[in-house]
Amino acid sequence: MRGGMLRRSACLAVSALLLFPAARVSRAADADVERTETVYVTADAAGTVESVLSSVYLVNPDQRETLADGSSLTEVKNILSNDSPWQQDGAWVFPAEGEDVCYQGKASSALPVSMNVRYALDGTEMSPEEIAGRSGRVRVTVSYENRCKSTVEIKGEPVELFTPFTVITIIELGDGFRRVAVENAKIMSEAGSATVIGTTFPGLAHNLDADATDSLAESFSFEADVKSFSLESIMAVMVPDLLDSDDLKSMDDVRDFVDGVDELNDAGDELQRGAKRLHSGMKQFTGGLESFLSGLDSLKDAANQLNAGLGAVDTSALNGALSGVGGKIGAASGKVQSAAGALSGMDLTDMTDAQKNAVYSALSALSDAGGALSDAGSILSGIQAPDLSALTQGVSGLAGGLASLAQNGGSILDAAVSLRKGLWSLYKGIRQFCDEGLKELDEQTEGMAVSVDRKDAMLELSESYTAYSAPTETVSVGSVKFIVTTDSIYVPKVEAPAETQPPAAESTPEADAPQDREEAAVFTAILRRLQEFILALFGGN
């Protein structure tokens, strides 16, 4: 019965849905027919599909007499014309007479995204039939599974990605719900009633190689205190796209950030190595400075000793001693000369030739020694000790300078040691920053880099999903959306005893007409409410 009601309200449904945010329309250079498809899915209260009805709108820009569509739908009906379509070469051909074509048909293909609704009462999971009319703390969880997976090539490697889907789910709560709390969803309250709106992106966490939590969650839930639980139909809109594709396009900026992190990580490693080399060089400098100061102390001690020795020298006594020595040497020279004179006056007549030669030799030696002593005495008598006062003053200044240098050198050494310790702390800090900070940042941005590499592939997948009931390669200009409506959960009515029940009236077309009109009115109200929620959510005009 619901399928008949949907068919009778098709034109109204198409008109209303044209106001909704449509999926991205991909356009090819030779595109001449635009195909818009809206898939109506009815499901039970647990989300299991019961029927699928697809409504297709074909734009006829060239006012052709006929339009063909390679649809797999069955029981196809032309909505805008009484002319029936026919099949030719695997496609449905519709009489158009220059006008656009709107048709509907039933689909049996699996949906790209499946829905699952779970119910729990006070922590115990129940079926929709079991929880109906029960009271307590109720939890309803709605989850989605993306089944539209493709293998794409990213940087030369095959990667499995899901076609991105955005699912907007709307659950209207009646007055009997109290203390409502939501998870991964938003709640809108007005006039005592509340509406839970969940936005999910099934498969996106896998595509981004991330955890399916928070904004990437594939499910949402709400809890409430309920008396005699019942629930209106859950409505969901699925589109093969992300709400704002600019979010993916802006990931180009993320690529620049990731590249910057890589460069920062490399610079951090170089800084770490430089800090270690600087500390090593400072360590060598302090060692050399310690050796220099040790040698400086030895030089200072030697200068002090020389200064003390120079201070102990008496130059006047030295001059007197030199003069006395010179006189003594002069006296000795005289004695030698006297001995030579005495030897030269000896009578050598009785001496043998050998003895004479010995005398002559001794006489020659005494003559030479006397001359040498005379010269030495003259030299020593003429020597004057130098004035050591300037030398003593210079050595004293040198000793004082060396002492000051040694004292200042100690301060320099202390500063150098402190600097060396500071450089070691700097090195350890840079190493910790690189190992714990930059490495962690680099690991975190690896996932971002994966996401950035996959964003172009995701955009291409969403752009290529142009149809549900027709091969996407045959639809160059198209868009598709899915509208899922679940059965409501209501409190079973207690039937009156058989004897008190009035006889059943015979069913006639005239009797069924008011019910059909009521169903159409209900469906129209649902579409209007769905339209209002979507427009309010996205700020549409």
Side-chain angles (χ1 to χ4, degrees):
M1 183 177 295
R2 181 181 296 171
M5 179 265 292
L6 287 174
R7 286 192 294 272
R8 287 191 295 273
S9 305
C11 293
L12 176 61
V14 170
S15 300
L17 288 172
L18 287 177
L19 297 177
F20 293 166
R24 179 185 293 108
V25 175
S26 61
R27 296 185 179 275
D30 59 349
D32 56 357
V33 174
E34 181 176 336
R35 185 183 194 274
T36 302
E37 182 172 12
T38 303
V39 183
Y40 300 94
V41 181
T42 61
D44 62 19
T48 303
V49 175
E50 293 179 336
S51 65
V52 179
L53 179 70
S54 183
S55 177
V56 179
Y57 194 94
L58 303 176
V59 178
N60 191 358
D62 301 327
Q63 290 78 47
R64 301 177 185 177
E65 290 299 317
T66 60
L67 288 178
D69 187 49
S71 174
S72 61
L73 298 177
T74 60
E75 301 182 25
V76 172
K77 293 186 178 181
N78 196 340
I79 301 300
L80 301 182
S81 172
N82 292 326
D83 298 326
S84 299
W86 63 90
Q87 285 188 300
Q88 181 178 330
D89 298 330
W92 286 99
V93 181
F94 299 88
E97 298 180 357
E99 301 296 331
D100 296 343
V101 170
C102 177
Y103 74 91
Q104 288 183 344
K106 291 185 177 181
S108 57
S109 302
L111 297 178
V113 177
S114 64
M115 179 184 190
N116 180 263
V117 186
R118 300 194 309 275
Y119 304 86
L121 178 66
D122 296 329
T124 301
E125 192 161 335
M126 296 184 176
S127 67
E129 294 77 16
E130 292 172 333
I131 201 172
R134 305 286 290 271
S135 301
R137 188 68 176 174
V138 173
R139 181 180 181 88
V140 179
T141 302
V142 182
S143 59
Y144 296 93
E145 180 185 357
N146 195 327
R147 297 174 174 176
C148 191
K149 182 183 288 187
S150 303
T151 301
V152 299
E153 185 174 302
I154 299 177
K155 290 188 174 181
E157 296 293 332
V159 178
E160 286 190 336
L161 295 182
F162 291 103
T163 297
F165 270 85
T166 297
V167 183
I168 307 296
T169 309
I170 301 171
I171 306 176
E172 188 172 359
L173 306 181
D175 297 337
F177 290 80
R178 297 289 184 269
R179 295 177 56 234
V180 181
V182 297
E183 182 179 350
N184 297 330
K186 295 182 179 180
I187 184 170
M188 298 174 59
S189 300
E190 183 178 0
S193 63
T195 301
V196 177
I197 300 177
T199 303
T200 52
F201 307 94
L204 184 58
H206 169 85
N207 288 356
L208 300 181
D209 195 20
D211 294 332
T213 57
D214 300 331
S215 60
L216 298 181
E218 299 181 346
S219 65
F220 70 93
S221 62
F222 74 89
E223 289 187 356
D225 293 335
V226 182
K227 184 177 181 180
S228 186
F229 178 78
S230 64
L231 189 66
E232 295 291 336
S233 297
I234 298 175
M235 292 177 291
V237 178
M238 306 176 183
V239 290
D241 195 2
L242 296 179
L243 287 180
D244 188 357
S245 59
D246 291 337
D247 291 340
L248 282 181
K249 294 178 181 178
S250 65
M251 293 176 75
D252 291 332
D253 297 332
V254 178
R255 163 56 66 191
D256 296 337
F257 170 72
V258 172
D259 293 341
V261 170
D262 292 338
E263 295 176 2
L264 181 62
N265 192 42
D266 294 340
D269 291 339
E270 185 62 30
L271 182 61
Q272 180 180 349
R273 290 191 292 267
K276 188 174 183 179
R277 289 195 296 267
L278 183 60
H279 171 264
S280 178
M282 197 63 197
K283 186 176 182 180
Q284 294 178 359
F285 171 74
T286 53
L289 185 59
E290 288 175 346
S291 299
F292 167 73
L293 292 178
S294 177
L296 189 63
D297 288 338
S298 299
L299 181 60
K300 180 188 67 174
D301 294 341
N304 288 333
Q305 292 176 2
L306 177 60
N307 187 40
L310 291 175
V313 174
D314 187 357
T315 55
S316 60
L318 179 60
N319 288 332
L322 291 174
S323 178
V325 171
K328 291 180 180 181
I329 291 176
S333 174
K335 291 180 180 180
V336 170
Q337 289 176 354
S338 297
L343 184 61
S344 63
M346 290 179 63
D347 184 6
L348 304 177
T349 305
D350 296 330
M351 294 183 179
T352 63
D353 291 338
Q355 292 174 337
K356 291 178 180 180
N357 289 334
V359 172
Y360 292 148
S361 298
L363 182 62
S364 177
L366 288 173
S367 179
D368 293 337
L373 288 173
S374 179
D375 293 340
S378 299
I379 292 172
L380 289 176
S381 296
I383 290 177
Q384 293 293 324
D387 185 4
L388 299 179
S389 59
L391 178 60
T392 302
Q393 184 178 1
V395 172
S396 178
L398 174 63
L402 291 175
S404 299
L405 181 59
Q407 182 178 1
N408 293 332
S411 300
I412 295 174
L413 178 61
D414 292 340
V417 171
S418 298
L419 180 59
R420 184 189 67 193
K421 294 179 179 179
L423 289 175
W424 179 248
S425 298
L426 175 63
Y427 164 70
K428 291 194 298 183
I430 292 176
R431 183 179 63 184
Q432 183 178 6
F433 170 69
C434 293
D435 293 344
E436 300 180 6
L438 289 182
K439 292 296 187 298
E440 178 68 19
L441 181 60
D442 185 59
E443 291 176 0
Q444 293 296 329
T445 54
E446 283 182 1
M448 296 174 62
V450 171
S451 301
V452 171
D453 293 336
R454 297 183 178 188
K455 65 100 178 178
D456 290 333
M458 285 191 291
L459 288 175
E460 291 179 1
L461 287 175
S462 65
E463 291 174 354
S464 63
Y465 196 94
T466 55
Y468 162 69
S469 61
T472 55
E473 61 270 14
T474 65
V475 181
S476 57
V477 183
S479 64
V480 59
K481 63 176 68 68
F482 300 83
I483 298 179
V484 181
T485 305
T486 70
D487 287 337
S488 60
I489 299 177
Y490 57 91
V491 180
K493 294 182 179 180
V494 178
E495 297 183 358
E499 59 273 17
T500 61
Q501 290 183 355
E506 295 184 2
S507 176
T508 63
E510 291 75 10
D512 290 340
Q515 183 177 2
D516 291 343
R517 287 195 297 270
E518 182 181 354
E519 290 179 350
V522 171
F523 182 68
T524 301
I526 291 175
L527 289 177
R528 186 179 299 111
R529 189 167 76 249
L530 180 60
Q531 174 186 346
E532 291 173 354
F533 282 134
I534 295 297
L535 292 178
L537 183 62
F538 300 111
N541 295 320

